[in-house]
Amino acid sequence: MTATSEGAGVTATNGGPGATARTDAAGVTATTDAAGTTATTELRSYETLLVEERADRVVVTLHRPEARNAISGHMISELHQVCELLEREPKLLLLTGHGGVFAGGADIAELLERGRDEALRGINSRLFERVRRLPMPTLAAVDGWALGGGAELAYACDLRIAGPDAVFGNPEPGLGIIAAAGACWRLPELVGESVAKQILLAGRQLDAREAQSAGLVMDVVPAEKLLEQAHALLDRMARQSAAALRLTKLVVDSPGAHPVADDLAQAVLFEGQDKKDRMTRFLERRSRA
């Protein structure tokens, strides 16, 4: 069953055989399956993104098919809106691209017009760092080109999976600029200094299998199963303690603060009811085995 909200720039697919859906004037779709279970999906209006809000995650599809999903200033603005939503109501985030392409880079026509002042504003880098610091885990599902700013957006996510045609690269020096939206420091952390320099200095591009071997992506799956596998991974994370996921991410992303940050995060979790409930269920299952 597919529910479509016209004019919202979003198509949400929920439910199964026998499911029914109703979308109200605010763009909230209520889907009821054959068993009578109702779930809601909120649809918001964007011009460069397709955004689906589910109960435990937000799915964002970069959608500029006329420009290989190139990251424009307007797309940056709309991604900031998504970040604001996820900061206010933390959920898992899935980022992907429309039409078999993740993002072919930043919008070169816009970059041509940018000068020193725009560079100092860090238009792209501030957004990608905001994505990096979102409270809950983020996943990029990449197929096709992820170049320049598109690659840097994928690097900013916590996890990445790829389709067989995925290609990562940073050709910015060929345009007379550097990969200034995170690749110059984030990529060495992800794949090591040697591979990072091959990409950033020598123009090497990593295909899907090379990216997996380098540790940049955790899995390579058939293109037709990319989103299915992405959601399966998010489902697995969604079954974990949300508080534990948030604090684990915060601690991992806090270099230099160890072991104090680890101890403080664990102290918070040790006092929580969620920890007690989960450990009790684990012990009960083991005693019955």
Side-chain angles (χ1 to χ4, degrees), residues 3 19 37 43 50 71 73 77 93 117 120 138 153-154 156 159 172 225 228 253:
T37 302
L43 309 178
L50 305 179
I71 299 174
S77 177
L93 171 65
D117 291 344
L120 292 174
T138 57
L153 178 56
L159 301 167
E172 285 90 342
K225 292 186 176 293
E228 176 185 334
D253 290 342

Side-chain angles (χ1 to χ4, degrees), residues 37-83:
T37 302
T38 300
T40 60
T41 300
E42 186 171 354
L43 309 178
R44 297 173 188 262
S45 179
Y46 298 86
E47 294 179 358
T48 67
L49 308 173
L50 305 179
V51 179
E52 179 187 352
E53 298 177 38
R54 300 188 184 184
D56 61 358
R57 72 197 62 174
V58 172
V59 183
V60 175
T61 304
L62 308 179
H63 189 258
R64 293 188 69 211
E66 76 285 356
R68 295 198 305 177
N69 302 329
I71 299 174
S72 63
H74 189 44
M75 181 182 286
I76 291 289
S77 177
E78 294 194 331
L79 285 168
H80 272 297
Q81 294 177 43
V82 173
C83 288

Side-chain angles (χ1 to χ4, degrees), residues 148 151-152 155 168-175 177-189 191-206:
E152 289 176 301
Y155 302 158
F168 298 86
N170 289 96
E172 285 90 342
L175 297 169
I177 58 176
I178 71 169
C184 286
W185 61 272
R186 191 169 280 132
L187 191 56
E189 293 180 351
V191 300
E193 181 178 336
S194 176
V195 175
K197 285 184 174 179
Q198 293 171 39
I199 295 168
L200 296 168
L201 302 180
R204 179 183 175 187
Q205 295 180 343
L206 298 183

Side-chain angles (χ1 to χ4, degrees), residues 13 19 31 49 62 65 68 96 98 100 109 119 122 137 141 143 154 156 162 197 232 284:
T13 303
T31 304
L49 308 173
L62 308 179
R68 295 198 305 177
T96 191
H98 173 78
D143 201 17
K197 285 184 174 179
E284 289 174 348

Side-chain angles (χ1 to χ4, degrees), residues 225-238:
K225 292 186 176 293
L226 182 60
L227 290 183
E228 176 185 334
Q229 292 300 311
H231 281 292
L233 177 56
L234 292 179
D235 290 341
R236 192 163 75 220
M237 287 191 282

